[in-house]
C-alpha cells in the first residue's frame, strides 16, 4: 500500500464511516468512492457515493476497500467487495459471528482477495497512506514494522517507539478467525526494504505467535523481532475484551507464547515500555 | 453466552445427541430410585466440590445442597455404563474450519491430557463417513456418527463457539451425553431469538467485565491496552480485582457506567484507569470519570493521553482526581497509596 492506492469506503455515510473518511482524506489517502445502499448519487466530503460496489468499480479504478458497515450487514459487504474484484479489503467492523467470518475469509482467499480484520484498526504507512482508524499523530516514518492484535496498544507502542519511527503498522484484529494472520504479516515485513526490525504485539488465545516463533527458529525470517504478549494475568476460559483473547483447551496461553519466543531467540518485552529499549539495541547494532 | 448444563442438553436433544432422562427443579422433590442430582452452576469443577451427587434420596440431597446457596438442580436417571469418552467441537482458528476434539478417555482434565486429538472438518463440505471413521478409530468405539454430526450442527447452525461432552458414556444402548458444556457466540445471538426465548435467557449486554482476585480495579480502552495495564499492576506488585475494556470511541455515559461497575465491586479499594485516546476523546472520558467518582468515592488514578487530552486533564484536576502522563507512574502511585 502507498500514496497511490485508490480506496473505496463501504458504509461511508454512517457515523464512523463519514468521520474516518474525513480523517483518512486529511492524511492524504486517495479515497475515490464510497458505497451505502440507498444513498447513491450523494457525496461525503466530496467523495461520490454509490448504491453498490459494482457501480463504484464501473466508474473508478479501485485497489482497496475499507468496511465500516454494521455487524449484521458486514459479511455481505465483504462478499460484495470480493465479487467486484477488489484485492485488499480491510474490515473495521467488530462483533461479526465467527462462523460468518470463517466463511468469507475462505471465499476471499479462494478468489485472491486479501482481508485484514475483522475487528481491527486497519493499517498505516506513515507519511503515505492511512487505511483505518489509527490516530495519525502517533505515527512517524521510520524503520520498525509493527503488527498487532490490538488497537490502542498499537498506538501506545508506536508512540513509545518514538524517533525510530515505523515503516508500516498493521492491526490484524482481535477476533478468533481473521483474514490475515500474524505470520503472514511478519513474512511481508521480512521482505520489505523499508523495514529493519519487527515488533509483534500479541495476546493470549490462538497460536499465531507460536507459529511466528517456529518460522524464526527455522531461519525463515531473517530480520530481528521483538515480542510482547498481553494477558499475563488473564484467567483461563475468560474472554479478555477481544473475542479472540480466550484460552480454550489450554491452547495459546501466555506461557506457551513466551516459551515459544524464547526458544526462537526472540527477545520478549515484559511491558510495552521495554520494547523501545530492546529495539534500540537491535537497530543500532 | 455460557449455558447451564440443562440448557446445553436441551440443545443436544435438538441435534439428536442422546441425553439421560431428567427434570429441572428449583425445590426439593421425591424421585423413585437411584438418581443423579446435579447443581446447575456456570462454573466448572462441580464434581470436585461435591455438588453432583448420586443418591436414592433426591429430596434430602436437594435440601442439603440448597443450604449451599444453589437454587437450580437437574435430576437425572442413573445410567450404568462401561466406559467414557471425551468429544467436543469448536472452530479451529488456524484453518477457519470446525474441528472435533476427541479423547478415548472421558471425565479428564482436557487441558492436561496427552490423549487428545483434533480432527478438522472442512467447512465447505458436510461430514463424511471417513471423518467419522478416523475419530472412531482413535477413540476405539464404533457408533459416534450421530453425536459428531450433532456437535458440528451446534457449531455451524446454532453458532456455538464450544460444544463439549465430557463425559460421553458408552451404554448398552449406545452413546449418551452425561454432561454438557455449551458456549454460544454472543455476536450471533441475534439470529437465535427463538432459542433464547425457549431457554428464558436474555441477550446479555455486550461488555467485557471480568472478575479477578485482587483489590485494584482496572479500566482501559481497548482490550490489549487494558490487558497490558492489568499485567503491569501485577508486575509492579499489585493485584487486579477486575478488568473492563470500555471499547473504542467510548463516550461520557459509557465511561461513567464502566467506572461505576468496577468501583461497585466491594473488593476494589482503588481504581487504575488507562486511556489512550485515538477515536476516544479524553474530555468525554474525563467527564465520565468525574460523574462516576461522585458516586463511588474510591481513589482513582488516571492515565490520560491522546485526543483532547488537555481539556480532559483540566476537567479531572478541577475535581481533585489525580491524572498522569504515563501508566507506570499512575500505577506506581496507586500501589503505594
Amino acid at each position: 500500500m502507498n500514496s497511490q492506492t485508490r480506496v473505496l469506503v463501504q458504509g461511508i455515510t454512517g457515523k464512523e464511516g463519514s468521520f474516518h473518511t474525513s480523517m483518512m482524506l486529511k492524511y492524504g489517502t486517495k479515497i475515490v468512492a464510497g458505497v451505502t445502499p440507498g444513498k447513491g448519487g450523494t457525496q461525503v466530503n466530496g467523495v461520490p457515493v454509490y448504491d453498490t460496489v459494482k457501480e463504484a468499480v464501473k466508474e473508478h479504478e479501485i485497489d482497496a476497500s475499507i468496511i465500516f458497515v454494521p455487524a449484521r450487514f458486514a459479511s455481505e459487504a465483504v462478499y460484495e467487495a470480493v465479487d467486484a474484484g477488489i484485492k485488499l479489503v480491510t474490515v473495521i467492523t467488530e462483533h461479526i459471528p465467527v462462523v460468518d467470518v470463517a466463511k468469507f475469509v475462505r471465499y476471499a482467499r479462494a478468489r485472491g482477495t486479501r482481508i485484514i480484520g475483522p475487528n481491527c484498526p486497519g493499517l498505516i504507512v506513515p507519511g503515505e497512506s492511512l487505511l483505518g482508524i489509527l490516530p495519525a499523530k502517533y505515527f512517524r516514518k521510520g524503520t520498525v514494522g509493527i503488527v498487532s492484535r490490538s488497537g490502542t496498544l498499537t498506538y501506545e507502542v508506536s508512540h513509545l517507539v518514538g524517533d525510530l519511527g515505523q515503516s508500516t503498522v498493521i492491526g490484524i484484529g482481535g477476533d478468533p478467525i481473521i483474514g490475515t494472520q500474524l505470520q503472514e504479516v511478519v513474512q511481508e515485513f521480512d521482505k520489505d526494504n523499508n523495514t529493519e526490525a519487527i515488533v509483534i504485539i500479541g495476546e493470549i488465545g490462538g497460536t499465531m505467535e507460536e507459529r511466528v516463533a517456529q518460522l524464526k527458529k527455522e531461519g525463515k525470517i531473517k530480520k530481528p523481532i521483538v515480542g510482547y504478549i498481553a494477558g499475563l494475568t488473564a484467567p483461563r476460559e475468560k474472554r479478555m475484551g477481544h473475542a479472540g483473547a480466550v484460552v480454550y483447551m489450554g491452547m495459546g496461553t501466555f506461557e506457551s507464547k513466551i516459551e515459544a519466543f524464547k526458544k526462537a531467540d526472540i527477545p520478549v518485552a515484559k511491558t510495552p515500555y521495554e520494547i523501545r529499549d530492546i529495539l534500540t539495541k537491535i537497530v543500532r547494532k | 453466552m455460557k449455558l447451564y448444563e440443562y440448557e446445553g442438553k436441551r440443545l443436544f436433544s435438538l441435534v439428536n445427541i442422546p441425553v439421560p432422562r431428567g427434570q429441572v427443579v428449583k425445590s426439593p422433590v421425591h424421585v423413585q430410585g437411584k438418581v443423579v442430582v446435579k447443581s446447575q452452576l456456570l462454573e466448572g469443577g462441580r464434581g470436585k466440590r461435591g455438588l453432583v451427587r448420586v443418591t436414592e434420596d433426591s429430596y434430602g440431597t436437594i435440601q442439603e445442597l440448597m443450604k449451599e446457596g444453589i437454587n437450580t438442580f437437574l435430576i437425572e436417571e442413573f445410567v450404568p455404563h462401561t466406559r467414557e469418552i471425551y468429544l467436543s467441537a469448536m472452530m479451529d482458528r488456524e484453518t477457519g474450519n470446525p474441528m472435533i476434539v476427541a479423547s478415548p478417555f472421558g471425565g479428564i482434565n482436557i487441558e492436561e491430557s496427552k490423549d487428545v486429538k483434533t480432527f478438522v472438518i472442512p467447512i465447505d463440505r458436510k461430514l463424511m463417513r471417513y471423518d467419522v471413521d478416523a475419530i472412531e478409530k482413535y477413540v476405539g468405539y464404533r457408533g459416534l456418527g450421530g453425536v459428531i454430526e450433532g456437535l458440528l450442527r451446534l457449531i455451524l447452525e446454532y453458532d456455538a463457539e464450544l460444544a463439549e461432552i465430557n463425559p460421553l458414556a458408552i451404554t448398552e444402548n449406545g452413546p449418551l451425553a452425561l454432561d454438557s458444556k455449551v458456549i454460544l457466540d454472543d455476536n450471533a445471538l441475534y439470529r437465535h431469538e427463538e432459542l433464547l426465548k425457549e431457554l428464558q435467557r436474555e441477550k446479555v449486554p455486550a461488555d467485557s467485565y471480568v472478575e479477578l482476585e485482587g483489590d485494584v480495579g482496572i479500566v482501559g480502552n481497548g482490550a490489549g491496552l487494558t490487558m497490558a495495564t492489568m499485567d503491569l499492576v501485577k508486575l509492579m506488585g499489585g493485584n487486579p480485582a477486575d478488568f473492563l475494556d470500555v471499547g473504542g470511541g467510548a463516550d461520557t455515559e459509557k465511561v461513567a457506567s464502566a467506572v461505576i461497575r468496577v468501583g461497585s465491586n466491594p473488593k476494589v479499594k482503588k481504581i487504575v484507569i488507562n486511556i489512550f485516546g485515538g477515536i476516544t476523546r479524553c474530555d468525554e472520558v474525563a467527564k465520565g470519570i468525574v460523574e462516576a467518582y461522585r458516586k463511588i468515592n474510591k481513589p482513582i488514578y488516571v492515565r490520560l493521553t491522546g485526543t483532547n487530552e488537555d481539556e480532559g486533564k483540566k476537567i479531572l484536576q478541577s475535581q481533585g482526581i489525580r491524572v498522569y502522563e504515563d501508566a507506570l507512574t499512575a500505577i506506581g502511585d496507586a500501589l503505594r497509596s
Side-chain angles (χ1 to χ4, degrees), chain A residues 78-79 81-83 85-89 91 100-118 172 176-188 208 211, chain B residues 92-97 123-124:
Chain A
V78 175
Y79 287 109
V82 175
D83 285 344
I86 298 174
K87 292 298 167 204
L88 175 66
V89 178
V91 189
D100 297 1
V101 176
K103 287 180 183 162
F104 71 59
V105 163
R106 215 168 164 75
Y107 187 82
R109 235 171 233 271
R111 285 157 186 79
T113 292
R114 169 169 297 286
I115 290 190
I116 296 174
I172 53 174
I177 293 173
I178 49 179
T180 298
Q181 306 224 357
L182 204 57
Q183 59 272 24
E184 297 174 87
V185 179
V186 171
Q187 282 170 312
E188 292 292 330
M208 290 188 293
R211 291 190 168 212
Chain B
D92 173 26
R93 292 175 173 222
E94 313 306 337
T95 64
N97 290 304
I123 198 167
D124 30 29

Side-chain angles (χ1 to χ4, degrees), chain A residues 20 72 95 97-98 100 102 106 133 138 152 156 205-207 228 231-233 235-237 239 244 248-249 273, chain B residues 86 90 93-94 96 111 123-124 161 181 185 187 190-191 212 221-222 224 228 230-231 234 279 303 306 327:
Chain A
H20 292 292
R72 283 189 199 198
H95 301 310
V98 174
D100 297 1
R106 215 168 164 75
I133 61 173
Y138 300 106
T152 36
E156 175 92 287
T207 55
Y228 168 75
L232 159 73
T233 46
R236 286 190 180 191
E237 289 210 12
R239 189 175 302 284
Y248 282 144
M249 303 279 170
Y273 302 89
Chain B
Y86 173 96
M90 63 173 98
R93 292 175 173 222
E94 313 306 337
E111 288 199 7
I123 198 167
D124 30 29
E161 57 180 56
K181 181 165 161 191
D185 180 353
N187 295 337
Y190 72 89
R191 48 188 179 212
L212 305 159
N221 67 323
M230 176 180 87
D231 294 348
K234 184 85 181 180
I279 309 318
R303 182 279 181 119

Side-chain angles (χ1 to χ4, degrees), chain B residues 70 81 88 101 111 116 179 221 279:
Chain B
I70 297 153
H81 55 277
S88 68
V101 184
E111 288 199 7
V116 177
D179 198 359
N221 67 323
I279 309 318

Side-chain angles (χ1 to χ4, degrees), chain A:
Chain A
M1 195 183 72
N2 58 39
S3 58
Q4 298 310 309
T5 304
R6 291 155 299 190
V7 176
L8 170 78
V9 179
Q10 290 176 258
I12 192 168
T13 57
K15 187 179 156 229
E16 296 285 313
S18 60
F19 175 71
H20 292 292
T21 296
S22 74
M23 300 301 274
M24 286 187 279
L25 282 169
K26 220 157 102 194
Y27 199 72
T29 306
K30 215 169 175 179
I31 298 177
V32 296
V35 168
T36 298
K39 296 278 172 72
T42 60
Q43 287 202 338
V44 171
N45 293 303
V47 176
V49 179
Y50 299 86
D51 285 322
T52 66
V53 177
K54 208 171 167 190
E55 284 166 25
V57 296
K58 214 190 283 170
E59 301 296 325
H60 307 271
E61 295 281 325
I62 292 169
D63 308 302
S65 162
I66 180 162
I67 294 180
F68 291 101
V69 174
R72 283 189 199 198
F73 312 105
S75 297
E76 207 173 315
V78 175
Y79 287 109
E80 203 186 346
V82 175
D83 285 344
I86 298 174
K87 292 298 167 204
L88 175 66
V89 178
T90 298
V91 189
I92 305 296
T93 310
E94 62 174 329
H95 301 310
I96 306 174
V98 174
V99 172
D100 297 1
V101 176
K103 287 180 183 162
F104 71 59
V105 163
R106 215 168 164 75
Y107 187 82
R109 235 171 233 271
R111 285 157 186 79
T113 292
R114 169 169 297 286
I115 290 190
I116 296 174
N119 187 15
C120 80
L123 63 156
I124 185 168
V125 181
E128 293 263 335
S129 192
L130 165 65
L131 188 63
I133 61 173
L134 305 105
K137 68 171 178 179
Y138 300 106
F139 302 88
R140 58 165 85 183
K141 203 170 177 58
T143 57
V144 182
I146 300 180
V147 55
S148 170
R149 289 173 64 189
S150 145
T152 36
L153 197 52
T154 316
Y155 318 155
E156 175 92 287
V157 170
S158 296
H159 192 42
L160 289 170
V161 160
D163 58 3
L164 293 174
Q166 306 91 33
S167 52
T168 300
V169 178
I170 302 188
I172 53 174
D175 274 4
I177 293 173
I178 49 179
T180 298
Q181 306 224 357
L182 204 57
Q183 59 272 24
E184 297 174 87
V185 179
V186 171
Q187 282 170 312
E188 292 292 330
F189 279 148
D190 202 44
K191 282 186 266 173
D192 174 31
N193 288 332
N194 300 320
T195 302
E196 261 187 76
I198 303 160
V199 172
I200 294 172
I201 305 169
E203 62 188 27
I204 52 157
T207 55
M208 290 188 293
E209 291 86 350
E210 288 88 332
R211 291 190 168 212
V212 172
Q214 189 60 32
L215 289 172
K216 180 79 181 158
K217 208 169 132 191
E218 290 165 2
K220 288 181 184 146
I221 296 160
K222 301 275 183 283
K223 288 179 186 165
I225 301 177
V226 178
Y228 168 75
I229 305 288
L232 159 73
T233 46
R236 286 190 180 191
E237 289 210 12
K238 290 278 166 65
R239 189 175 302 284
M240 305 308 288
H242 276 156
V246 55
V247 174
Y248 282 144
M249 303 279 170
M251 284 186 280
T253 62
F254 181 83
E255 294 76 20
S256 69
K257 290 175 196 294
I258 298 291
E259 182 70 24
F261 279 165
K262 282 193 176 147
K263 275 190 187 149
D265 286 325
I266 296 174
V268 180
K270 255 201 210 146
T271 74
Y273 302 89
E274 289 178 13
I275 295 174
R276 197 199 134 86
D277 291 343
I278 302 176
L279 268 178
T280 312
K281 278 180 213 146
I282 294 170
V283 176
R284 304 272 148 91
K285 226 193 279 183

Side-chain angles (χ1 to χ4, degrees), chain B residues 319-330:
Chain B
Q319 300 294 320
I321 298 172
R322 277 145 291 201
V323 56
Y324 299 84
E325 199 66 45
D326 76 292
L328 291 177
T329 327

Side-chain angles (χ1 to χ4, degrees), chain B residues 144-185:
Chain B
L144 293 175
V147 176
I148 292 167
E149 182 148 22
L151 285 173
L152 289 173
R153 280 184 61 197
L154 289 177
I155 301 298
L156 297 173
E157 286 172 35
Y158 289 86
D159 290 293
E161 57 180 56
L162 176 70
E164 180 183 85
I165 311 174
N166 187 23
L168 178 72
I170 303 302
T171 73
E172 282 176 346
N173 304 315
L176 190 68
L178 291 192
D179 198 359
S180 86
K181 181 165 161 191
V182 177
I183 302 174
L184 299 177
D185 180 353

